[in-house]
Amino acid sequence: MPAKPRIAELEAALARLRRRHAERRRRVLETPQQPCVRLDGRALLSFCSNDYLGLANHPEVVAALRDGATRWGVGSGAAHLVTGHSAAHAALEEELAGFTGRDRALLFSTGYMANLGVIATLCGRDDTIWQDRLNHASLLDAAVLARGRLRRYPHADAGALARQLADQTATLIATDGVFSMDGDLAPLPELAALAERAGAWLLVDDAHGLGVLGEEGRGTLAHYGLDAERVPLLMGTLGKAFGTCGAFVAGSETLIETLIQRARSYIYTTAMPPALAEATRVSLAIARREGWRRTHLQILIKRLRSGANQLGLPLSDSPTAIQPLIAGSSEQALRWAAELETRGILVTAIRPPTVPAGKARLRICLSAAHTEAMVDRLLEALSELPLEPSPPAPSSTTDSAAMAAHP
Ligand SMILES: *Cc1c(COP(=O)(O)O)cnc(C)c1O
């Protein structure tokens, strides 16, 4: 049993979190992921999930999972390199390679593990890894795991990175394609040019762009017209727009073969259930073919943004399904979320260290499963809030906080 003083330290740390309004609380969802949910016994209209295309509870995807379990059983039973790699995984990998226009794709159990795998395989102690300050926590953690030198550049600022690279080396530049808490896009053409000039890898984590942006939902790279030549490393997740779970890395033959041989987060873990791969094959096909989901999502985004504009609500500048409303302090963000909840609307407050200090927010997420009337209900509820953002924190504190980001 742990020593009493050590437990007391943990208790004191938890109490400090509570005092700073930084304590996290899990709520119990009693329905599938969909716009109308029941949470802790309450019926709410939800604007929180990353199910951007409304596929997480799509009947065809559900049926594919059920049929997949009938065919393959539940567990994969082993790691991919032992006997866990089924024909279902192989087929999904081929389809993802075709979808992303690359030689090959490699499945990982989660996006977190995919990022750890790529960065820790390609970078070591002598390498310098450049990252946007607002990159997802898994990219930052991957650099720590690789034991490389982690350098960060100001958010979406390719000019600043260029100045930093003038007298420093780079092994790899990593960025979110669409930033997970802000919804804005990375300046990928400029970053690709910088990576080429520096002889560095460019890794784009397109967790929030795939399925949503570009033709057939091919993501942020397609949005910019960038091919595998310009962006050699692409990571995508399956738990967001594709509505299932897992992730993949797509790239050249050599890259994927290297990851199979060396990525520890690929090698030393159980393969995802084959039925999940079957379900994802179906959701990928729906995402590609049903362009109306992206069109409808864009209509909802426009409706929310113009409605917010009329109300004078300071939504951040975002062209994607992620529409943040900056509150400032954690306390303020929590108060707004609670106010909305009394009006039957669920929007999670996102607080530091997931976002920088002083930038706590309501992260409004739209989905193709929402209707225009639902967006109107959200706007109506927002219009009843006393939406005075609290004063921003000094900018010196904003950057350091994101380092420890753990959503
Ligand atoms: C969600 C997310 C991840 C992690 O993916 P999981 O499959 O949920 O582990 C990685 N990067 C970004 C940008 C994400 O938003």
Side-chain angles (χ1 to χ4, degrees):
M1 209 181 125
K4 275 217 173 90
R6 301 217 176 272
I7 289 288
E9 278 170 28
L10 297 183
E11 279 164 0
L14 288 172
R16 280 196 299 278
L17 276 183
R18 252 168 251 138
R19 276 198 302 278
R20 294 200 335 257
H21 305 282
E23 183 190 34
R24 314 298 181 99
R25 196 157 61 90
R26 297 174 311 164
R27 321 249 337 243
V28 179
L29 184 68
E30 297 157 15
T31 54
Q33 198 61 258
Q34 57 199 16
C36 299
V37 297
R38 201 170 52 247
L39 200 71
D40 290 336
R42 287 204 60 199
L44 295 166
L45 179 56
S46 168
F47 292 92
C48 307
S49 87
N50 302 314
D51 181 25
Y52 304 125
L53 298 179
L55 297 177
N57 188 32
H58 189 290
E60 280 179 51
V61 180
V62 174
L65 184 71
R66 194 187 306 117
D67 296 347
T70 304
R71 159 130 199 239
W72 297 102
V74 177
S76 67
H80 283 278
L81 294 187
V82 185
T83 56
H85 189 64
S86 71
H89 297 112
L92 175 57
E93 286 184 343
E94 274 200 19
E95 287 156 14
L96 287 168
F99 176 59
T100 56
R102 276 142 204 271
D103 294 348
R104 288 176 78 181
L106 185 71
L107 288 174
F108 282 77
S109 297
T110 70
Y112 191 101
M113 292 165 74
N115 281 336
L116 294 189
V118 180
I119 294 185
T121 297
L122 298 180
C123 301
R125 267 180 215 288
D126 299 328
D127 294 307
T128 309
I129 302 162
W130 292 88
Q131 298 209 19
D132 189 292
R133 282 203 180 274
L134 297 188
N135 270 358
H136 190 263
S138 57
L139 289 167
L140 297 170
D141 292 358
V144 173
L145 183 69
R147 299 190 185 86
R149 277 182 302 273
L150 171 62
R151 299 272 188 275
R152 296 188 305 152
Y153 55 88
H155 176 54
D157 191 342
L161 176 60
R163 288 189 290 282
Q164 288 173 290
L165 288 180
D167 57 359
Q168 298 188 62
T169 61
T171 312
L172 182 141
I173 299 169
T175 183
D176 286 17
V178 171
F179 286 88
S180 54
M181 297 300 137
D182 293 77
D184 56 337
L185 272 56
L188 293 186
E190 290 82 358
L191 294 178
L194 286 176
E196 274 157 31
R197 204 177 316 148
W201 295 102
L202 175 60
L203 166 63
V204 175
D205 171 342
D206 209 17
H208 301 276
L210 285 168
V212 174
L213 297 175
E215 198 196 339
E216 288 194 4
R218 290 172 203 271
T220 313
L221 272 58
H223 169 86
Y224 283 119
L226 295 169
D227 59 14
E229 191 91 354
R230 308 284 317 279
V231 182
L233 305 175
L234 171 64
M235 189 286 256
T237 63
L238 306 174
K240 284 153 187 164
F242 299 117
T244 61
C245 188
F248 68 93
V249 174
S252 69
E253 181 66 39
T254 306
L255 171 81
I256 298 300
E257 200 50 43
T258 301
L259 292 176
I260 292 173
Q261 302 306 322
R262 296 192 26 220
R264 294 169 67 85
S265 63
Y266 179 76
I267 299 170
Y268 299 106
T269 200
T270 301
M272 70 162 66
L276 197 57
E278 297 287 17
T280 307
R281 295 179 65 198
V282 170
S283 72
L284 175 63
I286 298 172
R288 293 180 73 164
R289 122 183 134 230
E290 297 193 355
W292 67 263
R293 291 177 187 273
R294 277 175 289 281
T295 311
H296 180 59
L297 187 56
Q298 285 305 324
I299 289 170
L300 298 179
I301 293 167
K302 283 213 184 68
R303 194 173 186 93
L304 175 67
R305 293 193 65 83
S306 78
N309 192 31
Q310 277 167 23
L311 293 171
L313 298 177
L315 279 183
S316 307
D317 194 9
S318 157
T320 66
I322 303 161
Q323 294 288 326
L325 187 60
I326 305 292
S329 70
S330 295
E331 207 177 348
Q332 182 84 306
L334 288 171
R335 197 177 311 126
W336 288 0
E339 287 278 347
L340 285 178
E341 210 171 308
T342 64
R343 292 162 173 81
I345 304 275
L346 183 67
V347 183
T348 357
I350 304 281
R351 293 164 282 161
T354 305
V355 291
K359 296 274 179 68
R361 66 196 64 186
L362 296 183
R363 179 177 181 265
I364 299 168
C365 277
L366 296 172
S367 162
H370 288 120
T371 63
E372 293 183 56
M374 288 172 179
V375 171
D376 292 347
R377 268 188 63 196
L378 169 63
L379 283 165
E380 193 184 318
L382 286 170
S383 76
E384 290 166 10
L385 296 191
L387 285 178
E388 269 303 303
S390 58
S395 62
S396 61
T397 61
T398 56
D399 288 341
S400 54
M403 177 59 227
H406 292 286

